[in-house]
Amino acid sequence: MLTLADFFTWLSGPWMPDNAGGFADNVDFLNGFILFVSYFFTGLIGFLMIWFCIKYKMTDRSEVSHGAHHSTAIEVAWTLPIVVIVTFVFAVGFTGFLDMSGEPEGGKSNAYPIRAEAYRWGWNFYYPNGGSSDKLYIPADRPVEITLESKDVIHSLFVPALRAKKDVVPGRYNRMWFQADASLVTAEEPEKALVLNCTEYCGQGHSQMNTECVVVHASAWDAKLEEINKFNKDGLTPAEYGEQVWKVRGGCAQCHSNEGSPNTGPTWKGLYGSERKLAVTDGASTVIADDAYIAESIRYPNRKKAVGYEAQKMSAYGTSQLSTGDVRAVIEYMKTLSGQEALEAFPTDYDGKTDLPGIAAPVDAE
Amino acid sequence: MSVIPTNPSPPSAPGTDVVKAKKGLYGDEDNYITHGKGILSWLLTIDHKRIGLMYMVCVLAAFFIGGIFAIALRTELIWPGQTLMPWAEANTNWKLYNQLFSVHGAVMVFMFIIPAIPAILGNFALPIMLGAKDVAFPRLNLLSWYCYVGGSLFFLWILTGGVVGTLFGLENMPWYFPKGIDTGWTFYTPYSTDTNTGVILATMGVFVLGFASILTGVNFIATIHMLRPRNMGWDRLPLMLWSLYATSVIQILATPVLAITMLLLLAERVLGIGVFDPAKGGDPVLYQHFFWFYSHPAVYIMILPAMGVISEVISVFSRKHIFGYSFIAASSLAIALFGFIVWGHHMFTSGQSPLLNSVFSLLTMSVAVPSAVKVFNWLATMYNGKIRLDTPMIYALGFIWLFTIGGLTGLPLAALSTDIHYHDTYFVVAHFHYVMVGSTLFGFLAGMYYWWPKMTGKMYNEKAGQIWAWMVFAGFNLTFFIQFIAGSLGAPRRYADYDPRFWKYHFISTLGSYVLMIGLFGVLYNWVSSWRSGKKAPANPWGANTLEWHTPSPPPHANFEDGHEPEGVPPYDYDGWDYVSEEEGYVRKEGYVYQGH
């Protein structure tokens, strides 16, 4: 049976993104109702304006029109429906919002906890088993509750298909929860990717701060977690893996080129092993860009800035964003950019959490 | 009428060809434009009409500059990928785009929309509508103009320097190319305390511009209170003045908060005091509260004067008394009041408490009531009128249409759950352009055409005026309506580059912006050619009855002819005027006595 609610949701249909669950039911219904009201009033007002202009067109410039120009009854009469409509709109929006900002469905214990970390310009998502990924993977059969943290400025996590959005504010731990429509995925096709955007302006790379929210079928979830948790799952060489970190995971490429042209940050071409002049404020001395200097510049980027980059501020990358293994891979990649010999392969069961044995300058010595 | 240039134009006039050219255009006539000669007679004038004209030149220049940035940023978005600087790296393009939209927003908001109607039309018309010789504090009025010009020049230097520097790839820009801003016009922390662009200097510019706004507001309130003529009680105050009064109240009460916010930002950046930056122990959401406590009322600073213009124009061009005078007047005050208590609806996704969100949502809904009351009263005024479809009326009807769409699309942004989806998408961009640009711009253009004969003493080309009006209307809707759809589908705003699936929307929007631009240049041409070679305007071309139409066009230096002591009249009683076709205007009936009042 077609209800009024279905009608309003249908009205919303063509303008809204695909409905992948989340809070789409409430939002689309309310949006449809508002559309209905809007169509009605825009049509009515437009029609009256055109009709009046034709019907009451001035023919003689001396004529003046007379008639009532005050009626409290009429004023009240057309104000009341407005009050009713906006009260209804408020009430529906309010209930939908209570749902969004309240406990996840089935209580807190039912929700799968994920920690999201936003930085300029990318995302990292951390799962209870210790794994992390730059895409948001969520199980299809239960709600997820996301704790939002920012490394630098305000960002905002938006999944249009779920009608879910929350700002990621530094210094606050905002929370959001949602549950995707379980029927999006099946055991045969266990993954469905949804668009995930940053919707709070955060500077130069704001428009590139997009990733995916991947809904994963229950049967494939454990394997997925396992996969997320694995270091260098594609078995790349350290330099190749480092290039991937540079381009994707770490987002280094936004500011550091690999072919010599200066950008927001210094280029990596020929950087490894070269002599760096430090800024006046950092002692104006020189250092050799060796493993230790590079690792320190990743972990504490504003400690020893090179001349020419005093005004730039790079976000610090802690172990939760780039593991010791990631930093090692970056160093190996930079070695290749300076024409130096890089490490050939990671040990087979290496988990990326500690530095490799036998390395002269360990990454996380402090 | 033939025009005999009496004497060669003096070498000096406030910096524009327009003003220079018209020197010879008034023959021997003595009016406020010909009353004093030489550049100093303008730069040191305390005549509110001249200050209005000087504001007009500057504000239109600001609109032109803001418009250039608008066209540039729409061009960057015409298709995915980099457009404006194809030779440079992608992230240089993003940097440029970020500066473009910041400069566009800041220039348009602080230098065009806020001063447009009050400072040009209000300055010109307000004292004459009151039958007064000038505003209450004429020198303060001139100071306001200097604050505006000084602040604007400073602001523009900071802002455009950054864009030019980025465009030409100047590394470590020299001091005369300041770094501009890339924070958006909202200066959200902690980004604005972190970026290395010229936030401090830009906020100082905003600070000075705020003083221009406050001084105008103080002046208007004092003038309306103190300088009303005999027989003009509050119930005979034209609705334009009611809305300027409401606007002035907001300007005085809200603008200082912006100044405070900017000072706190300075304190944080220069002195390192933690107010907003969490790294220093502050709270970024506090900044948003401060900012929107000013900037939401500021939206009503932008729209209220336009509503005042529309109330005048709709009544005059329907040849009928305005319907629901007291309700329209009260709704202006109600909007001014509600404007102060709804700012939190900008922060529904910020993580502020759900209770706060709910209260702000409910309060925001209340704005719908006075807005709807105005629209319905305007329609009721048109009902059974004698509608004269001249250019000001076309803009007024365009205003009603755009304001209806802008207002109704405010509903899903005020409602909590739908706003979560729409927040910071193109839907918001489209919504506020419909309200702030569509409505305010159309109100401004309606008012400019309506008072043009009075301000310049020249009639404009009616046919051309109408054609350009339709073009502006079409261009505006083409540019912004499509953005509602893109926003609904989830296109985030402030993206320098976007998902290719949105390219159609951006493409159409960009084409629309070109149409809008051509239309607006047409309007400018229409005005300039009217001033240079338009027919002499009659004292009252529209048959209106507010006091500024009781004096010649353009008015004499003292606003009214010697010996004429204006008295308050019922502003919407049109029976006292006869149309005289030789004059192409209206002439007062001898011995007409106002009824009823």
Side-chain angles (χ1 to χ4, degrees), chain A residues 26 31 65-66 75 165 201, chain B residues 182 377 384 417 422-423 575:
Chain A
N26 174 283
N31 191 61
S65 197
H66 298 98
E75 302 281 351
K165 183 184 290 149
Y201 174 68
Chain B
D182 65 345
N377 276 306
N384 222 353
S417 66
Y422 285 133
H423 182 83
D575 283 315

Side-chain angles (χ1 to χ4, degrees), chain B residues 487-501:
Chain B
S488 298
L489 290 171
R493 66 189 282 213
R494 293 177 165 179
Y495 266 29
D497 194 5
Y498 52 85
D499 191 329
R501 73 196 157 104

Side-chain angles (χ1 to χ4, degrees), chain B residues 17-40:
Chain B
D17 289 343
V18 181
V19 179
K20 230 180 265 174
K22 82 191 178 331
K23 276 289 183 183
L25 296 176
Y26 293 96
D28 289 329
E29 208 181 295
D30 180 37
N31 59 41
Y32 79 99
I33 298 173
T34 58
H35 190 75
K37 303 217 185 311
I39 190 164
L40 287 183

Side-chain angles (χ1 to χ4, degrees), chain B residues 26 64 86 169 175 394 415 467 501 510:
Chain B
Y26 293 96
F64 175 74
W175 67 269
I394 291 175
I467 291 169
R501 73 196 157 104
T510 303

Side-chain angles (χ1 to χ4, degrees), chain A residues 15 17 26 31 56 58 61 63 65-66 69 75 94 120 165 167 172 198-199 201 206 210 254 263, chain B residues 91 182 194 283 319 324 349-350 358 377 384 387 417 420-424 488 494-495 575 579 586:
Chain A
W15 312 126
N26 174 283
N31 191 61
Y56 304 121
M58 182 187 68
R61 292 198 166 176
E63 274 186 321
S65 197
H66 298 98
H69 52 75
E75 302 281 351
F94 178 63
R120 281 177 292 186
K165 183 184 290 149
D167 288 0
R172 291 192 175 201
C198 172
T199 48
Y201 174 68
H206 173 50
N210 308 307
Q254 308 260 15
N263 201 329
Chain B
N91 53 15
D182 65 345
D194 194 55
D283 181 1
R319 307 278 300 135
T349 63
S350 71
S358 309
N377 276 306
N384 222 353
I387 295 170
S417 66
I420 300 296
H421 177 65
Y422 285 133
H423 182 83
D424 266 334
S488 298
R494 293 177 165 179
Y495 266 29
D575 283 315
Y579 186 71
Y586 291 78

Side-chain angles (χ1 to χ4, degrees), chain B residues 430-571:
Chain B
H431 161 74
F432 74 70
H433 276 90
Y434 261 82
V435 183
M436 282 161 58
V437 186
S439 308
T440 307
L441 180 65
F442 274 61
F444 172 65
L445 292 174
M448 283 293 284
Y449 272 105
Y450 177 62
W451 279 295
W452 185 262
K454 185 58 64 184
M455 288 164 78
T456 63
K458 307 280 179 163
M459 289 308 288
Y460 57 89
N461 183 331
E462 181 58 48
K463 260 266 116 45
Q466 293 187 12
I467 291 169
W468 295 123
W470 284 110
M471 189 152 178
V472 170
F473 182 76
F476 180 84
N477 282 291
L478 200 58
T479 310
F480 292 107
F481 194 82
I482 197 101
Q483 295 184 0
F484 283 122
I485 302 170
S488 298
L489 290 171
R493 66 189 282 213
R494 293 177 165 179
Y495 266 29
D497 194 5
Y498 52 85
D499 191 329
R501 73 196 157 104
F502 292 121
W503 83 270
K504 271 181 282 183
Y505 306 100
H506 280 292
F507 186 72
I508 292 171
S509 181
T510 303
L511 293 188
S513 70
Y514 297 158
V515 176
L516 179 58
M517 175 182 70
I518 296 168
L520 287 169
F521 274 119
V523 171
L524 184 66
Y525 176 76
N526 193 223
W527 290 344
V528 172
S529 65
S530 151
W531 209 333
R532 283 173 173 273
S533 54
K535 270 195 292 190
K536 181 169 168 44
N540 189 356
W542 317 120
N545 196 37
T546 41
L547 289 177
E548 77 273 30
W549 306 105
H550 291 237
T551 183
S553 307
H557 177 66
N559 287 351
F560 293 89
E561 281 158 327
D562 289 345
H564 178 81
E565 226 176 277
E567 277 189 31
V569 293

